[in-house]
Amino acid sequence: MVCMQLNQASHEAVYRFVDEATGTRAIVAIHSTALGPAGGGCRLWSYASEEEAVRDALRLSEGMTYKNALAGLPLGGGKAVLIPPPEVSRPDFDRAAMFRAFGRFVERLDGGYVTAEDVGTSVSDMLHVAEETRHVAGLPQRAGSAGGDPSPWTALGVFLSLKAAVRHRCDSDLQGTVVGVQGLGHVGLTLCRLLDGAGARLVVTDLDPERCARAAELFGATVVAPDALIATPMDVFAPCAMGGVLTEESARAIQARVVCGAANNQLADSRVGRLLAERGVLYAPDYLVNAGGIINVAAEYLGETPASVEARVNAIPQRLMQLVQRAAGDSRPMNELADEMARSIVFEGRSAQVA
Ligand code: NAI
């Protein structure tokens, strides 16, 4: 295994690992350990270049610092991105060996970084990571303990926040509310189920037509093309795919009055948050509302119970509404206020209480 440290002033440490035997490459970015070991999932994605993978790891790990701080967790922020070898999609590819190699990378960091699932990785992948290190969560749940796939908790936190945001911004419940869900993966599909149960009308999209067909069949969702969703008339836009979906252009085109979804780094840059606020769109900061998964991961790693996870996830919408009140009072965009509060918790030791 080759391990190299990359120079990055914004982060405590950034590592590039290569395992020649399996062709596995990974970037592990540790943004901050001020509040505890750097916690954040492992993303498996075919990046166009290694520079792009590094950029993604840097942004995602900084977001994890803020997410963990606002959720009141004793964790710093980190993220791993795994760059698979070209043969990853071949049926005889040894995926288990790739995740064991990644587990050895994590072990080298000696508890400074705790990993779990993210886009492209699953509970069974984390089981292979766990063969090499104990600094991993998102493993099958044991009776009485937190654990398992974090995505249902992420979906629940987003759902409860979305409901609270609609109550505030549209003065209504979800019955008949039109919600556009982008991305029908682990989180998106579960979110659709919760929304459908609350009587919302769904407009959905995914790059995978089979996932769209499934949502249409299960929930009577209307399917639109991936690039058509944002400008489709709807009350709420719920991004649950990849980051950077809200650009200046898409923020001008958006029809929704609320944006609330699971995707990390939804804003292409912070000016977009200001533009949304100016247009009267309530933007629920992504790392605040999608914290359910890491709350579950943290509880598993720290040996807590599912009841503690439930209590923390149920508190997410309250935290969101406190932020909404404060943003209105200070005439500030939600994203700027959330970043400022998270930084004050991490770097000035303020309490995670929003009020
Ligand atoms: P996933 O990999 O299970 O699903 C992502 C889905 O988005 C896939 O179906 C994919 O085809 C689709 N997609 C990708 N690009 C798209 C595009 N341009 N247009 C439409 N669909 C597109 O991922 P998962 O776990 O559901 O996560 C979704 C998002 O939520 C990610 O941004 C992730 O970082 C974030 N997140 C996930 C958490 C979790 O617990 N799984 C926790 C916190 C954040």
Side-chain angles (χ1 to χ4, degrees), residues 23-53:
T24 308
R25 282 182 296 159
I27 307 293
V28 178
I30 301 198
H31 178 255
S32 168
T33 54
L35 299 179
C42 167
R43 176 169 291 194
L44 178 69
W45 193 252
S46 293
Y47 292 93
S49 66
E50 199 166 300
E51 290 70 37
E52 199 190 299

Side-chain angles (χ1 to χ4, degrees), residues 287-305:
Y287 57 76
L288 195 165
V289 300
N290 73 10
I294 193 74
I295 287 172
N296 190 52
V297 160
E300 177 183 347
Y301 190 66
L302 300 169
E304 294 174 3
T305 62

Side-chain angles (χ1 to χ4, degrees), residues 43 118-119 151 154 183 185-187 206-207 211 240-241 262-264 290:
R43 176 169 291 194
D118 188 54
V119 173
S151 59
T154 305
H186 288 96
V187 181
D206 197 288
L207 298 179
R211 292 187 176 185
C240 296
N264 283 310
N290 73 10

Side-chain angles (χ1 to χ4, degrees), residues 248-339:
E248 287 197 17
E249 193 189 343
S250 61
R252 282 185 215 286
I254 201 165
Q255 304 265 335
R257 289 198 283 166
V258 171
V259 174
C260 182
N264 283 310
N265 296 336
Q266 290 165 25
L267 304 179
D269 65 63
S270 70
R271 280 169 310 184
V272 178
R274 182 165 285 270
L275 182 59
L276 289 172
E278 283 164 6
R279 291 201 56 221
V281 180
L282 193 168
Y283 167 69
D286 45 19
Y287 57 76
L288 195 165
V289 300
N290 73 10
I294 193 74
I295 287 172
N296 190 52
V297 160
E300 177 183 347
Y301 190 66
L302 300 169
E304 294 174 3
T305 62
S308 77
V309 177
E310 201 173 341
R312 279 188 197 269
V313 173
N314 282 332
I316 294 175
Q318 190 192 347
R319 217 174 272 264
L320 173 69
M321 294 326 291
Q322 287 169 328
L323 196 69
V324 167
Q325 304 297 350
R326 206 164 136 183
D330 297 357
S331 301
R332 301 274 309 279
M334 293 281 283
N335 59 311
E336 290 179 18
L337 201 55
D339 285 1

